[in-house]
Amino acid sequence: MTESPPAQGLPARARPARVALAPTLAACLALAGSLLPLTSAAQAQTTAESATDLTAELAQIEAELAALEASVTDATPTPVEAALRDALRLSQTLLRNRQLALDGAAPLEATPPALTPDPARADRLMVEMARARARIATAERELRAAEGLIATMVQSRLETERLTLAGLRMGWLSAKYGISFPMLAPAPTTPGAAPQPDTAPAASASAPAPSEAATDTGPPVWADPEHPEIDYRLAPFELAHATAHQISGWWTIETGRAAVDDSPEVTAINYSAYDPRDLTGLTALVTRCTEGETALIYVQDDYLIPDLRRNSFDVTLRIGTQAARSLRWSGLTTNKGAGVFGEEAEEMIRAIYDAGQVFLRITERNGRTHDALFSLAGQTTAFEAVANACGFTTVVLSSDDYHQIQALLNKAGFEAGKPDGQWGPGSRRAMRAFQQSKDLPQTGAPDRASLDALGFGG
């Protein structure tokens, strides 16, 4: 089974992952007016670059920017529109500066370059850009034929796909030409944050990022007081607050209803490996309930090559200090990560429920590996929200446990049938009735709150 990830392909339910660039990109514009320094070797490379290619790319960016500004009629753009506008303006400014350099209209300083071109990465990003453009074309066709709520959903998806393309383009320009996109947000310093590259541009003391405004007055208002060790000035948390999503530890939690059947939907995203200076994608751990199916997904910021026969990846998992184990996870349709689904995802959530951290490594078909260490702080709220939406328990229960729970339901006057240790439809109906009597979420599953109310284990 394949799924699509947040940020670079997860459905619109995971939009926070897509729009998290906005505050950082807005800050970048303060530096975009200065020409990037290049070495003498880079000058020679620059003169060999195709001015035609740069002109064509700049024309494409300016056309997208003009279309966006023409379509935004409200005085205040949506977060996605604001992020996309900032990304396009930043790319436009830097490409114009590169053209000036090629034309000799601006001097080039002989100082070390910020980035070294990476042709292989540029080629991978070019593939992703083509995929993003194809998704945009599909969404545009669907939008022309859609009406009402469906049109609104398609429009939202279209906006986020355009933002994805803008981020991919900036990554491609960096990899292709060594263009450095200045990023001002501070790197995460709390445990579980992703390591920062040595070549990342230094933050500017004269132009602080918008999210740093709360530095002198303590943590921002949206900070989870249970986790003072986390820097909640990071863009995803700022956006979660702006969109009224819950924040718990390293997690943001979005709730809603499925368009197809109004079933509860929950998407929880762990940002402990978030790198605010990575313009090409997102590294995150996502758990969600969508139309009654549970998923646990490792989203990665690079294009991955799966085992084409099975569309899957070898994954190394280490929970806390336990021994690492090898698993096989399904690939995502966008080749941006891997995940487990259904009962397998539910079992994995139970396995990591009480852990402090989890290490994940994806191994591509060609042997390349991609690692992430996630701090799970705040996971209880996230996992319980997903479990309640999809109707499963986060408690590890044996057949004898289910037998005892059924007996307790029968004793309390909620007929679960003859206790047999199998949690079937009759047991679910009895549990829902009991939960209703206790004013608890009617999941039909023996969740923690219901077991406490029932006196299980007491």
Side-chain angles (χ1 to χ4, degrees), residues 153-216:
M153 295 175 59
V154 175
Q155 180 65 50
S156 176
R157 193 176 91 232
L158 177 59
E159 289 178 1
T160 56
E161 292 293 1
R162 286 170 173 165
L163 176 61
T164 296
L165 176 59
L168 287 170
R169 180 188 285 114
M170 287 189 288
W172 177 78
L173 290 170
S174 296
K176 179 73 173 178
Y177 299 112
I179 293 179
S180 173
F181 286 80
M183 300 301 291
L184 300 182
T189 56
T190 47
Q196 303 306 316
D198 295 336
T199 56
S204 168
S206 61
S211 58
E212 294 180 5
T215 300
D216 297 332

Side-chain angles (χ1 to χ4, degrees), residues 13-364:
R13 291 179 291 273
R15 284 193 297 275
R18 294 183 180 274
V19 300
L21 291 172
T24 305
L25 288 172
C28 290
L29 297 176
L31 293 183
S34 61
L35 187 66
L36 294 174
L38 301 173
T39 62
S40 299
Q43 288 180 349
Q45 179 184 351
T46 299
T47 58
E49 291 171 354
S50 169
T52 301
D53 289 346
L54 288 176
T55 300
E57 192 64 33
L58 180 59
Q60 178 69 28
I61 290 171
E62 290 178 337
E64 292 178 19
L65 182 58
L68 174 65
E69 292 178 338
S71 65
V72 178
T73 56
D74 296 335
T76 303
T78 66
V80 177
E81 290 170 339
L84 177 57
R85 180 188 59 196
D86 289 348
L88 291 173
R89 285 178 178 174
L90 181 56
S91 297
Q92 177 191 46
T93 300
L94 292 178
L95 281 187
R96 282 178 174 174
N97 284 340
R98 177 54 65 93
Q99 281 193 323
L100 288 174
L102 287 173
D103 295 339
L108 294 174
E109 301 177 18
T111 56
L115 293 174
T116 300
D118 184 346
R121 182 173 176 81
D123 289 343
R124 292 195 301 271
L125 289 171
M126 181 63 74
V127 172
E128 284 300 290
M129 290 168 64
R131 291 173 181 266
R133 288 190 173 105
R135 293 195 299 269
I136 288 171
T138 299
E140 287 175 338
R141 289 194 299 270
E142 292 177 1
L143 184 60
R144 287 192 291 269
E147 296 180 355
L149 178 61
I150 299 300
T152 301
M153 295 175 59
V154 175
Q155 180 65 50
S156 176
R157 193 176 91 232
L158 177 59
E159 289 178 1
T160 56
E161 292 293 1
R162 286 170 173 165
L163 176 61
T164 296
L165 176 59
L168 287 170
R169 180 188 285 114
M170 287 189 288
W172 177 78
L173 290 170
S174 296
K176 179 73 173 178
Y177 299 112
I179 293 179
S180 173
F181 286 80
M183 300 301 291
L184 300 182
T189 56
T190 47
Q196 303 306 316
D198 295 336
T199 56
S204 168
S206 61
S211 58
E212 294 180 5
T215 300
D216 297 332
T217 58
V221 295
W222 55 84
D224 182 352
E226 297 295 323
H227 296 279
E229 76 281 5
I230 297 176
D231 182 3
Y232 285 104
R233 297 169 298 173
L234 293 175
F237 298 118
E238 186 174 357
L239 179 66
H241 171 70
T243 51
H245 297 160
Q246 186 177 3
I247 297 173
S248 176
W250 278 111
W251 302 80
T252 65
I253 306 169
E254 179 182 6
T255 60
R257 293 283 174 178
V260 67
D261 58 6
D262 288 328
S263 60
E265 288 190 334
V266 175
T267 298
I269 305 175
N270 180 298
Y271 287 103
S272 62
Y274 171 75
D275 182 355
R277 293 179 291 191
D278 188 351
L279 292 174
T280 62
L282 175 77
T283 298
L285 184 65
V286 180
T287 181
R288 72 183 192 208
C289 173
T290 304
E291 297 176 13
E293 182 181 64
T294 310
L296 183 69
I297 302 169
Y298 169 26
V299 179
Q300 199 273 331
D301 66 355
D302 204 354
Y303 178 80
L304 307 177
I305 302 175
D307 180 336
L308 300 180
R309 293 172 300 174
R310 294 186 288 178
N311 190 31
S312 60
F313 293 94
D314 287 324
V315 171
T316 301
L317 170 76
R318 188 182 188 196
I319 303 172
T321 58
Q322 299 176 18
R325 49 182 166 143
S326 298
L327 305 169
R328 196 78 183 175
W329 284 18
S330 299
L332 307 179
T333 57
T334 56
N335 290 331
K336 285 287 188 175
V340 286
F341 307 91
E343 291 184 0
E344 189 176 0
E346 294 170 8
E347 291 176 1
M348 187 60 63
I349 288 173
R350 284 190 283 269
I352 66 176
Y353 188 91
D354 293 316
Q357 64 182 31
V358 61
F359 170 85
L360 286 165
R361 168 178 290 166
I362 289 181
T363 302
E364 297 186 56

